[in-house]
Amino acid sequence: MHSKLKNSQKFLGLFLSAIVLFATSCSDDDPMPMEPEDKNVVELAISDSRFTTLVLAVQRAGLVDALSADGPFTIFAPTNQAFIDAGITDVNDVSEDDLKDILLYHVVDADVPSSAVSSGSVTSLEGSPFYVSISTDDKVWINGNAEITETDLEASNGVIHVIDNVLMKPTMSIAGIATDFSQSATPEFTQLVGALSRAGLVDAVYGGMDDDLTVFAPTDAAFIQLYDDLGVTGYEDIPLETLENVLLYHVVPARAFSQDLRDAAELPTLLANETLTVDLSGLKIEEANLNTDLLNVHATNGVIHVIDKVMLP
């Protein structure tokens, strides 16, 4: 009897000690760790070592309070490596205003889980749209060059999707980009720009975000080959109507990134009743090879894909 009483007292003592230990561990002075969904999007980013540069950028741009609000927000979050690849190794080298615009271009003022992501235009918190594409292997891309590598990091005021590239809002039109290339130290598209000018089509490939075009842009070497095939010395020797038709045949009235293309698809062109056939397995448009290093050159009014041949309707 005495032995049983001692064992009971010993058990009671251990039980009371456990209660005290539990109460102490749950005291206000030592709170339980927060679950990921209890953190707002800023706190969640701070807790993830992949987003060190992003957090520094948010702090420098003065966006901590704004992104800690109720939201909901969807953040397309570039990793540290994405910032390095974009040439941003120190956020202090970027002005606060520019940094703010860049960051807000990665934010949507809504809760968009991966199940709700679809291809098309999405308006960012910066005010400009970015463009979502879903490739044939079901990967999700933004503006043709940033892949979503992880989805649905849930926070108390929204969700984070991880991307492998920093999104940059386009600032030049298709015509402006081609002209810029033609005047660079190693010029390209001099023939395309000259041909567009002669045909009076330069204005047709200028424009803003409300205009959606895709231009398959032949290189200078492609035009030189065309001149040889036609037995002419340059675009000035090609009949004006023929030149205009050839150029219109290279323009699709839609913003089609490479991830939007589907094998055997027939793409309408600005040349009436003429289409372009996609060969994804051969990486071709008609008989022209796509330059994989110069795909998805994003412009305010569309996208440029570089090809190695002038296509004839």
Side-chain angles (χ1 to χ4, degrees), residues 3 9 16 24 41 49 65 67 107 157 163 211 222 243 245 247:
S3 176
Q9 290 172 334
L16 291 173
T24 302
V41 289
S49 61
D65 289 344
L67 296 178
V107 183
N157 64 340
I163 58 175
D211 302 302
L243 184 64
N245 288 343
L247 293 171

Side-chain angles (χ1 to χ4, degrees), residues 25-40:
S25 67
C26 293
S27 69
D28 291 339
D29 294 334
D30 188 16
M32 294 290 285
M34 292 175 67
E35 293 297 322
E37 60 270 19
D38 294 329
K39 301 173 182 176
N40 63 45

Side-chain angles (χ1 to χ4, degrees), residues 18 26 45 51 85-86 103 160 207 242 247 261 263 271:
C26 293
F51 303 133
D85 293 342
L103 293 172
I160 292 175
T242 301
L247 293 171
L261 300 177
D263 196 41
L271 183 58

Side-chain angles (χ1 to χ4, degrees), residues 3-187:
S3 176
K4 287 183 180 180
L5 180 60
K6 285 184 68 178
N7 287 339
S8 297
Q9 290 172 334
K10 182 177 181 181
F11 175 78
L12 180 60
L14 290 171
F15 180 70
L16 291 173
S17 296
I19 291 176
V20 171
L21 179 62
F22 178 78
T24 302
S25 67
C26 293
S27 69
D28 291 339
D29 294 334
D30 188 16
M32 294 290 285
M34 292 175 67
E35 293 297 322
E37 60 270 19
D38 294 329
K39 301 173 182 176
N40 63 45
V41 289
V42 175
E43 293 168 333
L44 186 56
I46 290 171
S47 70
D48 194 320
S49 61
R50 292 173 296 176
F51 303 133
T52 305
T53 306
L54 175 62
V55 170
L56 290 173
V58 168
Q59 292 169 340
R60 174 165 167 75
L63 291 174
V64 172
D65 289 344
L67 296 178
S68 299
D70 291 341
F73 303 109
T74 297
I75 312 290
F76 294 90
T79 61
N80 297 332
Q81 186 61 49
F83 277 96
I84 292 171
D85 293 342
I88 302 175
T89 55
D90 186 346
V91 297
N92 292 311
D93 293 337
V94 184
S95 75
E96 291 181 26
D97 288 342
D98 288 345
L99 203 54
K100 183 177 181 179
D101 286 344
I102 291 170
L103 293 172
L104 291 180
Y105 190 56
H106 292 72
V107 183
V108 176
D109 193 13
D111 189 3
V112 187
S114 60
S115 59
V117 173
S118 59
S119 59
S121 171
V122 178
T123 301
S124 71
L125 202 55
E126 185 271 340
S128 302
F130 59 76
Y131 300 86
V132 176
S133 304
I134 300 176
S135 57
T136 54
D137 56 2
D138 291 326
K139 292 180 179 179
V140 182
W141 295 77
I142 301 176
N143 290 353
N145 57 27
E147 182 186 349
I148 298 179
T149 58
E150 187 176 346
T151 62
D152 299 326
L153 306 182
E154 294 186 10
S156 61
N157 64 340
V159 63
I160 292 175
H161 303 306
V162 185
I163 58 175
D164 65 357
N165 229 320
V166 176
L167 304 177
M168 294 293 187
K169 180 181 72 173
T171 58
M172 299 177 69
S173 69
I174 291 168
I177 291 172
T179 301
D180 204 45
F181 266 104
S182 72
Q183 296 173 351
S184 66
T186 54

